[in-house]
Amino acid sequence: SGLTYSLATAPATPATGRPARLYLVVSNSGTVPVLCKQIVVVLPTGDLAQDLVPAGQHLLASVEPADQWSVDQLQDGVLLTLPQDETAAFPGRGTELKVVPANGESVSLTTHGLLVRVKDLRINARTGTALLRIRETVSVDNGNTWEDHQVTLSVAKYPPEEALTDDVVGNLAVHAVDTEGNPSATPVTLLKPEHRGKAVLTWTAPPDAVCEVHYDGREPARLSGQEKWQLPVTDITRDTHFRVQVTLQRSGETSTHHLTTAVAVAEPVIPRLTVDKITAGGQKNLLGHQLLTVDGAVVVEKESHFYGAVYGREATLVVADALTTSQKLSAPEIHSDKLAVADKVLVGSTDYSGMAAGDLRVRNDLTAKRLAATDKALVGSTNYSGMADGDLWIKGKATAARAHISSVLGTPTKLTGAFDHTKRQAPSNGVLLLWIRTADAYATRTIFVDINTDGAWGGTYETVAAASIDYGKTPDVWMASATVPLYAGQWYKIWQAGEGGRTDAYFFPVLAG
C-alpha cells in the first residue's frame, strides 16, 4: 500500500455479542509523497466466525480532520472515506512537498494523518478472527498514474469471560441532575440547593458484572447485566460517601473490586446530631450577646436548663399547653389578651380535690402583682350555662359563651352530619366540642366520641368521651356536653344512641395549630 494503516479497538480485546469501538489511523510512513482519492473500509458482516458484525447493522462512523475528509456507509459493512477536495496529499518523511497533479485537480494537504472512528457497533456472537479490508486509491508520481491497493487487518473476537478483563472497572463519579432529570456532562463534587438532592452515580464495569451500591446506611442497590452503569440517587441532604462493589467471574475465579467517591452538600440537613457544645456566631442581641438562630421548632427530649433570660417574640413568652413548676413561680405582672389552656394549669400540684369556684390552689408560692385575663380561659369544659359576659369561673372547668370561645380559639368548623360513625381526621391540634339539648318531652340521647389509638385510619378506636340527656317533660333546655382534645392528623369518629334532642359538634383549632 502507499499509506500505512493501524487499527485499535475498545475494549482492547473485543467480546462476542458485546458493543465495541474501532479506530483506524492512516498516515504516510514512507519518504515519497502520496496522493489519495479515496479509502474504502470493509467490515465483514454475517454470523460466521470470520465475520465481525451482524448483517444489517448500521455503522456510526466519523472522521478527523472533519474539515478535510468525509465518511459514509455505502452498504452493509462498507465505509467510503473521501477527501473534501478531489485529492488529499500525505507528505513523505523529510521531503519538501510541491503538489501539482497532472489532471489539475484541487489538493488538500493532510499533515496530521487521518482518523476514522466507528462507534457503537456490536460484535457478532461467534468467536474467531475477522479480516478488516482496506482499499486505497493512491498515486506516488504526483497524479500521473493511480493505483488501487488492498490491505487487511485482523480483529480477534473472544468470549466475554475471556475478553472482558478486570482493568475496565473504575471511573466512579457523581453527576448533578437538572430540572428535567438529565445528568450533568461532567462530574461534580458539590451538590447545590438547586440540585434538590438529586444526582446520578456512574461507573465503568463489564456488562456481566454484578454491582452493589452502598451509601448513607441505606439498603444496597443491586444491579447486573447493564452495558452503561448508572444509578439515580435522591434525598442527598448531607455530605455522602458512595461505595460500589463490583464482582466478576473470570475463568472460574471470582474477583471483587471496590470503587469509592464522595460528594459534599452546600446546605446539609442532619436528622440527628450529637455535640458537646455549640457556640453561637449569629447577630447580637441588645445585651451584646451573640445569638444562635434555629429556623423551625425545637423539640428537646430531656430537661432544658436556661442560665440566662428566656424571651418570646416581642418580650412575650407563650406556653401552648401547660406550665408546670415544682418551686416558686413569681412575676411582677402577668398579662394575656387570650389565655387558652385546653385542660389544666399545673403549678406545683395536681391535687384539685375540694377546689371551690374562683380558687387557685398551689402547693408552693405563686407571687404576682397582677393577673390579667381580658378574654376567657377554657379549662376542660364547655358547660357555660348561666355565665355573664366577662365572668371567669374555674371549678375544674371554665364557662364561656361560644362566641367567646371563638374569640379565644378562632372560628370553629361545624361538623354537619358527623354522628354516623364517619371517620374524620383533625386538620390541626384542636378541641372537639359537642353538646345536646332537648327538643321534645322525654327526650333521651347519648353521644359518644371514639379516637384512634394507633395512628392508622383503619386501626383501633376507643371511646374517650360521652354525654347523655334524659330531661323528662322539659324541652328546649341545654343539658349535656363533651369535650375531646385532638392532635393534628388524629382519626376520630362520633356516634349517638337514643332519640329526641338535637346535637351539634364544632372543631376549634388551638392557637396557631
Side-chain angles (χ1 to χ4, degrees):
S1 62
L3 298 172
T4 304
Y5 300 86
S6 181
L7 180 68
T9 64
T13 51
T16 55
R18 303 295 193 193
R21 299 185 298 276
L22 299 181
Y23 300 92
L24 179 66
V25 179
V26 186
S27 63
N28 181 8
S29 300
T31 59
V32 179
V34 177
L35 304 184
C36 179
K37 281 180 177 275
Q38 68 176 17
I39 297 174
V40 179
V41 182
V42 181
L43 282 66
T45 62
D47 299 326
L48 301 178
Q50 59 266 35
D51 296 322
L52 184 62
V53 296
Q57 180 175 139
H58 177 72
L59 301 178
L60 181 62
S62 62
V63 67
E64 187 180 320
D67 59 342
Q68 296 184 21
W69 292 83
S70 64
V71 60
D72 293 293
Q73 180 176 349
L74 295 181
Q75 60 189 57
D76 276 5
V78 179
L79 299 174
L80 175 61
T81 306
L82 296 173
Q84 298 284 13
D85 295 324
E86 285 83 354
T87 304
F90 291 83
R93 182 188 301 274
T95 61
E96 182 178 349
L97 179 64
K98 183 178 180 181
V99 179
V100 181
N103 55 10
E105 294 176 346
S106 59
V107 178
S108 60
L109 185 64
T110 300
T111 58
H112 290 81
L114 173 65
L115 171 62
V116 181
R117 305 183 191 89
V118 184
K119 293 185 177 181
D120 297 329
L121 61 86
R122 181 174 290 274
I123 305 299
N124 74 1
R126 300 282 184 173
T127 301
T129 300
L131 293 180
L132 187 144
R133 293 177 172 83
I134 302 167
R135 188 171 65 249
E136 63 177 16
T137 301
V138 297
S139 172
V140 294
D141 59 0
N142 206 29
N144 291 310
T145 59
W146 293 90
E147 299 178 350
D148 290 332
H149 302 140
Q150 181 167 287
V151 178
T152 58
L153 301 174
S154 62
V155 181
K157 305 169 294 175
Y158 296 86
E161 61 271 14
E162 302 296 337
L164 299 174
T165 56
D166 295 347
D167 58 359
V168 298
V169 176
N171 301 325
L172 180 61
V174 178
H175 298 259
V177 176
D178 62 18
T179 55
E180 298 180 356
N182 302 313
S184 59
T186 57
V188 298
T189 57
L190 178 68
L191 287 182
K192 298 180 179 179
E194 58 264 28
H195 298 144
R196 306 175 312 282
K198 297 180 179 180
V200 173
L201 200 64
T202 64
W203 66 97
T204 302
D208 65 334
V210 176
C211 300
E212 284 190 357
V213 183
H214 302 257
Y215 69 99
D216 201 24
R218 309 185 192 190
E219 187 71 19
R222 185 179 177 88
L223 297 86
S224 61
Q226 301 191 30
E227 295 179 0
K228 182 180 291 186
W229 295 92
Q230 62 181 28
L231 177 68
V233 291
T234 57
D235 298 329
I236 306 301
T237 58
R238 57 180 177 176
D239 297 356
T240 303
H241 176 265
F242 297 93
R243 178 175 65 87
V244 178
Q245 176 180 297
V246 182
T247 303
L248 299 171
Q249 295 291 335
R250 295 289 178 267
S251 302
E253 298 291 333
T254 301
S255 62
T256 303
H257 301 259
H258 296 275
L259 310 176
T260 61
T261 190
V263 67
V265 175
E267 296 182 6
V269 176
I270 303 175
R272 297 186 66 87
L273 179 65
T274 302
V275 297
D276 291 331
K277 184 178 181 181
I278 297 177
T279 301
Q283 61 181 347
K284 294 183 179 181
N285 63 10
L286 297 177
L287 300 177
H289 301 144
Q290 287 187 311
L291 300 176
L292 175 66
T293 302
V294 179
D295 185 9
V298 178
V299 176
V300 180
E301 295 182 354
K302 296 185 178 179
E303 298 84 3
S304 296
H305 299 271
F306 298 92
Y307 296 100
V310 179
Y311 296 93
R313 178 177 297 177
E314 297 177 355
T316 301
L317 181 62
V318 178
V319 180
D321 191 358
L323 176 64
T324 304
T325 64
S326 58
Q327 298 296 326
K328 184 177 182 179
L329 175 64
S330 60
E333 286 189 350
I334 301 177
H335 287 276
S336 175
D337 291 336
K338 296 180 181 180
L339 176 60
V341 182
D343 193 0
K344 302 290 186 182
V345 179
L346 309 180
V347 185
S349 174
T350 58
D351 182 8
Y352 292 91
S353 60
M355 282 187 67
D359 287 352
L360 175 62
R361 307 184 68 175
V362 296
R363 176 175 298 171
N364 294 298
D365 295 330
L366 174 64
T367 303
K369 294 181 179 179
R370 180 183 178 189
L371 176 61
T374 59
D375 267 304
K376 301 292 187 251
L378 310 180
V379 187
S381 176
T382 58
N383 183 9
Y384 42 79
S385 60
M387 270 191 78
D389 192 21
D391 288 347
L392 174 62
W393 291 2
I394 300 177
K395 188 178 180 182
K397 304 175 181 179
T399 57
R402 193 170 74 235
H404 297 147
I405 299 175
S406 299
S407 69
V408 175
L409 296 182
T411 302
T413 300
K414 184 174 182 179
L415 307 181
T416 304
F419 305 91
D420 56 355
H421 284 87
T422 298
K423 293 179 180 178
R424 298 174 179 269
Q425 194 173 26
S428 67
N429 295 338
V431 179
L432 181 66
L433 305 181
L434 305 97
W435 51 86
I436 315 172
R437 75 171 185 179
T438 60
D440 302 298
Y442 299 106
T444 61
R445 172 72 62 88
T446 302
I447 55 174
F448 302 87
V449 181
D450 297 351
I451 65 169
N452 181 274
T453 58
D454 54 12
W457 177 85
T460 304
Y461 284 78
E462 175 182 338
T463 299
V464 295
S468 298
I469 187 170
D470 183 358
Y471 222 67
K473 296 182 179 181
T474 308
D476 297 319
V477 175
W478 291 100
M479 175 57 186
S481 63
T483 305
V484 178
L486 299 172
Y487 59 79
Q490 186 171 28
W491 290 96
Y492 68 97
K493 56 186 179 181
I494 310 169
W495 56 286
Q496 59 187 351
E499 60 185 9
R502 193 182 83 187
T503 309
D504 288 327
Y506 290 83
F507 179 85
F508 288 85
V510 171
L511 299 179

